[in-house]
Amino acid sequence: MDAQSYNAALAELRTVRDKIKKSRAELTKLEADRDQRITRLAAYSKAKAERLAPAAGMSVADIVALAPELAPDDLAVPSQHQATPCEAAAAADAGPVAQRAGTPATHDAQPQSAPPPPRFRTATTGDSTESAATDAPRTLPSLPEGEADEAWFTHTPSLASTRPNFTQQARSTVFLDTTTGALVHRHQTHHLDLAGRTAADILTAVFHAVPDGVERIYITAGDPWHRDADRYPYLRDAVTAWLNAPTPGWRTDTGRGRDRMAGHFVHARNPVGRYQSNDGKTHVEIRSVGEWFDLDSNDTPAIVRDAFVLLWQALRRHWNDAVLMGSPSQTGRDLWTRTIPQRGQHADGFPVLSEELRGLLHATAGQGRNELIPPPRVPEQLPALVEYDRTFAYAKHTWKSPVGTPRRVTSATFSSWSEKEQIRALYGCGHWHVRVTVPDGWNHVGLLPAPAPGDRAWHYPATAGTTFTTWAGGPELHTALTNPLQPWKIEILDGILWEDGKPLDDWAKKLKDTWTNLTAQAEIHGDPQQARAAHLASRAVRAILLYGIGSFAQRPRMVTGTTPRTMERDLPPDAEIIGFDDEQITWQRPTGFSRDPNAHPEWAAAIWSGARAALLSQRHRDDNAYAGALHTPPGTVVAFRTDALYLTQHQNWPYHHQPGDYLLRGHLTGPVTAPTTEEELLTLRDAGRATHAITRQEA
């Protein structure tokens, strides 16, 4: 692509942007019209929220919010609706992976939320309760008063992470490019006629080419679930229709053996279709290889297969029973359970926290920092845009994690401690309820997350004198108190403190060693295809650790189901409609936490806190140097994006190919118009990476 075609493509992109803005404006008008109609219907003496909800495509709670007089008398009573055979189980594994019956929804890219446990009391700032209005920050839960907290600071009875006493069974896997029809099975390549690229077409063609049986089909290119995307307002609707289309000879899988996974997983980019033959003898899943790594147009199914083979071989050096499961999060969690000690302190496993504390952590511990800093905090015309990405970042923060029975540290208790004890506590494994004040004269980025409007949204106040109440982990509080510019004022309101332990250290070290070996192979291999396969395998190791950590967080489950349009009245009363056609309604509803023996949100929260703190300040002991946003001049930080920093200046930060090191990923020379939306930032990011790649090739 030359400069002329690039500029032309940008102009076309702006046209699409304008169309989207117009569509959103029209959608806003339609939603306002819908709300007015609901209000008018609510005036009818026999109107019921559970009848209005499916007609409006909303949940009962949404209807009641518009028309409080329709609140059912039993609104506070949990629904006793039981899943019917037509309900597709839905619980995600921290990443675009399988949804399954009876397991937690932990997909971090699209977290599902449920109301906090009823015993949460309202968090306050000063003497006034924070507003619950949609345009005000969320109200974060806090710990209960008095003896009620005894049930919180225990573990869930008879629920603990233990080492498995069985070996996972490998599944026969093929790799399919639905654009070209190329199918790779073991060392053979077949060319299939996929007709309309429906699920039925794929199953028929694959089982004709490989009659001895296939259990997993990875789609490497073509995204067949998007083939009719133009017919639907959202990609998710197109995916739902593709998964639920008729498949003669097959039906939706209902699970088997130890594998509790059942039903399809609806995801806009990386869905999972699970099917079983009508005789129940054959089970197969269709899933996207995009769960593991991103591909480019030159990555053939053969290269992808080689990447999986290299990944399996590399993992086998550390786990002699390693098996690649359907998703990186499943694989990561399975490998972790096989590092649980067989002797010593934790031979009996790691107990799971009470549901109350898990709910508190779910509501108060965010993941990556994603913040765009627009003008006037940065110049409207940037002198440059430079991207630094922390390599394999989360692997650097697994050396210490919370273990044991947590204890509460009240404000009075904390105040009674010596300064040394306080520092030790904040540097330890804790989660703290704090009141924060940005110091006078502060002119840099915000340091601590504060609740923002929107579901699980966070922002980072940076205006001098601002006071807010929030929850934060020890690494972030330590950074706020000891940062190189000036300390922030932190008032401890309450806290949860654990013992320091290393439940993830062995697992992470093995994955880091695997990643290092594969990365080295990618750099020195003489065969370009094998070098590319090794690079993809190294990216898969990153996904195993990243999504494995996310799976510990355990989101409240969301069950997805379908109901015939003729049976609209049978929808669960708390269901939210997410799609419909002439024949059926697709809905989802929250069902709370499951009894997941590997639910450890305290581990995920500690790692995420450490990673956010390292974006601000990170010490390189061997170089006696520091890196991070706080080690750049004020006004030079343009954005944070999970593990990446976007700056207006190049930095001379150490890079030794170690986890957590800041890698220069992209750069654009100025002047560059400062991005004001995420879309603009991503466009500049892609252009900067392309420019950087060309510069490296020329060098």
Side-chain angles (χ1 to χ4, degrees):
M1 176 180 290
D2 56 21
Q4 184 177 358
S5 57
Y6 175 73
N7 291 330
L10 281 180
E12 294 174 358
L13 184 63
R14 295 187 188 99
T15 301
V16 173
R17 175 199 64 192
D18 294 340
K19 289 181 179 179
I20 291 173
K21 288 181 179 179
K22 290 180 180 179
S23 299
R24 285 175 176 164
E26 181 63 25
L27 177 61
T28 300
K29 292 180 181 179
L30 289 173
E31 289 177 338
D33 180 46
R34 176 200 62 191
D35 294 348
Q36 291 176 0
R37 293 174 185 270
I38 292 171
T39 302
R40 288 197 296 268
L41 287 169
Y44 177 52
S45 60
K46 296 183 179 181
K48 293 184 177 180
E50 56 267 30
R51 289 294 309 279
L52 286 175
M58 301 168 68
S59 68
V60 171
D62 292 333
I63 296 295
V64 171
L66 288 169
E69 65 272 19
L70 297 183
D73 294 335
D74 60 347
L75 187 63
V77 180
S79 170
Q80 299 300 314
H81 175 82
Q82 298 297 316
T84 63
C86 69
E87 294 181 13
D93 267 344
V97 296
Q99 285 188 322
R100 44 191 212 201
T103 57
T106 54
H107 172 31
D108 301 307
Q110 289 183 327
Q112 306 289 354
S113 62
R119 283 183 284 176
F120 285 157
R121 66 178 176 83
T122 303
T124 59
T125 301
D127 297 325
S128 60
T129 302
E130 294 175 1
S131 170
T134 57
D135 60 346
R138 297 188 326 284
T139 298
L140 296 181
S142 57
L143 295 170
E145 299 290 352
E147 297 179 357
D149 71 342
E150 291 183 4
W152 290 49
F153 289 84
T154 59
H155 292 109
T156 302
S158 305
L159 191 64
S161 305
T162 56
R163 192 182 184 99
N165 57 6
F166 63 92
T167 300
Q168 292 286 358
Q169 297 301 307
R171 294 193 176 186
S172 176
T173 302
V174 298
F175 301 87
L176 174 64
D177 182 333
T178 59
T179 301
T180 64
L183 174 79
V184 172
H185 176 233
R186 296 176 182 159
H187 292 290
Q188 293 183 321
T189 300
H190 307 266
H191 293 280
L192 310 183
D193 180 3
L194 298 177
R197 297 193 300 154
T198 64
D201 294 332
I202 291 173
L203 292 170
T204 299
V206 169
F207 278 84
H208 178 75
V210 189
D212 57 341
V214 171
E215 296 175 279
R216 182 174 296 137
I217 302 170
Y218 275 121
I219 305 299
T220 64
D223 294 344
W225 36 80
H226 293 162
R227 68 189 188 101
D228 292 328
D230 292 343
R231 296 174 50 194
Y232 298 91
Y234 303 103
L235 280 180
R236 185 183 176 92
D237 295 338
V239 171
T240 301
W242 189 88
L243 291 171
N244 292 322
T247 50
W250 301 83
R251 63 178 185 268
T252 302
D253 201 348
T254 55
R256 54 176 171 155
R258 283 192 175 91
D259 187 353
R260 294 180 296 165
M261 291 221 257
H264 306 313
F265 169 48
V266 180
H267 184 272
R269 302 290 178 183
N270 299 310
V272 181
R274 298 190 182 89
Y275 304 91
Q276 61 178 323
S277 58
N278 286 340
D279 61 11
K281 295 181 180 179
T282 304
H283 301 256
V284 62
E285 57 185 18
I286 301 174
R287 55 197 317 151
S288 170
V289 80
E291 300 177 69
W292 292 86
F293 36 63
D294 294 329
L295 301 178
D296 62 33
S297 57
N298 296 320
D299 291 326
T300 64
I303 290 177
V304 175
R305 179 191 176 274
D306 288 346
F308 274 85
V309 171
L310 288 174
L311 173 64
W312 175 76
Q313 291 173 341
L315 291 173
R316 280 273 173 151
R317 296 188 182 99
H318 297 287
W319 289 274
N320 57 14
D321 55 354
V323 171
L324 297 183
M325 302 180 71
S327 71
S329 66
Q330 292 171 291
T331 305
R333 196 153 61 165
D334 179 70
L335 293 176
W336 171 75
T337 61
R338 298 174 193 279
T339 65
I340 295 176
Q342 294 177 289
R343 294 182 296 274
Q345 181 180 2
H346 299 292
D348 294 332
F350 295 92
V352 173
L353 294 177
S354 67
E355 184 169 332
E356 289 84 357
L357 276 190
R358 280 182 281 150
L360 177 73
L361 287 165
H362 166 68
T364 61
Q367 191 178 352
R369 177 170 181 169
N370 289 284
E371 180 186 19
L372 177 63
I373 301 175
R377 293 177 61 189
V378 297
E380 292 190 3
Q381 293 296 314
L382 307 177
L385 184 64
V386 187
E387 178 190 9
Y388 286 94
D389 187 38
R390 296 186 66 228
T391 300
F392 204 17
Y394 286 1
K396 187 176 179 64
H397 305 287
T398 54
W399 63 278
K400 181 176 70 172
S401 301
V403 295
T405 302
R407 61 188 175 112
R408 183 175 186 174
V409 179
T410 64
S411 176
T413 300
F414 188 85
S415 299
S416 68
W417 288 347
S418 66
E419 182 178 356
K420 183 177 180 180
E421 290 173 318
Q422 292 178 350
I423 292 174
R424 185 188 304 119
L426 291 179
Y427 194 69
C429 294
H431 192 56
W432 302 92
H433 195 194
V434 293
R435 183 176 291 116
V436 183
T437 300
V438 183
D440 293 338
W442 185 261
N443 65 346
H444 218 295
V445 298
L447 303 187
L448 292 171
D455 179 34
R456 292 184 60 79
W458 302 88
H459 68 145
Y460 293 79
T463 303
T466 301
T467 297
F468 58 95
T469 302
T470 191
W471 285 83
E476 292 168 284
L477 293 182
H478 188 264
T479 299
L481 290 168
T482 63
N483 73 82
L485 302 180
Q486 62 183 123
W488 281 31
K489 180 182 178 182
I490 308 292
E491 179 186 354
I492 301 296
L493 304 178
D494 224 329
I496 308 167
L497 193 61
W498 290 266
E499 300 173 17
D500 294 353
K502 294 182 176 293
L504 304 177
D505 194 44
D506 185 35
W507 173 71
K509 283 180 177 177
K510 290 177 177 179
L511 289 177
K512 283 186 281 189
D513 185 67
T514 303
W515 172 80
T516 299
N517 290 335
L518 288 169
T519 301
Q521 286 187 52
E523 292 177 351
I524 66 175
H525 207 294
D527 184 337
Q529 290 194 345
Q530 287 299 303
R532 177 62 179 172
H535 170 74
L536 293 177
S538 72
R539 299 297 293 172
V541 176
R542 174 187 177 276
I544 287 173
L545 185 133
L546 175 68
Y547 293 126
I549 290 169
S551 71
F552 290 125
Q554 193 210 30
R555 310 298 185 204
R557 290 180 302 150
M558 294 293 291
V559 170
T560 303
T562 58
T563 300
R565 289 291 293 266
T566 56
M567 301 175 63
E568 186 177 295
R569 294 188 179 187
D570 293 337
L571 284 175
D574 57 348
E576 176 187 0
I577 294 175
I578 59 176
F580 56 85
D581 54 28
D582 293 337
E583 297 181 358
Q584 65 184 16
I585 300 170
T586 303
W587 48 265
Q588 66 180 12
R589 66 184 182 90
T591 59
F593 292 101
S594 68
R595 283 184 59 84
D596 180 1
N598 296 318
H600 293 286
E602 68 276 20
W603 297 349
I607 292 169
W608 294 340
S609 178
R612 290 194 299 269
L615 277 177
L616 298 169
S617 182
Q618 174 177 285
R619 183 184 178 190
H620 293 261
R621 288 183 173 84
D622 293 342
D623 300 277
N624 192 27
Y626 289 85
L630 294 181
H631 302 281
T632 65
T636 60
V637 179
V638 177
F640 297 87
R641 189 168 175 80
T642 310
D643 301 326
L645 271 177
Y646 295 84
L647 309 171
T648 63
Q649 298 177 0
H650 283 271
Q651 303 296 322
N652 189 27
W653 290 338
Y655 184 74
H656 303 297
H657 301 275
Q658 295 299 310
D661 286 358
Y662 280 91
L663 172 66
L664 176 62
R665 288 289 304 277
H667 72 270
L668 289 173
T669 56
V672 177
T673 301
T676 56
T677 66
E678 182 182 24
E679 292 78 10
E680 292 175 355
L681 175 65
L682 294 180
T683 299
L684 293 173
R685 178 200 66 181
D686 294 342
R689 290 183 177 181
T691 300
H692 184 60
I694 294 172
T695 303
R696 291 182 64 188
Q697 289 176 357
E698 294 175 347

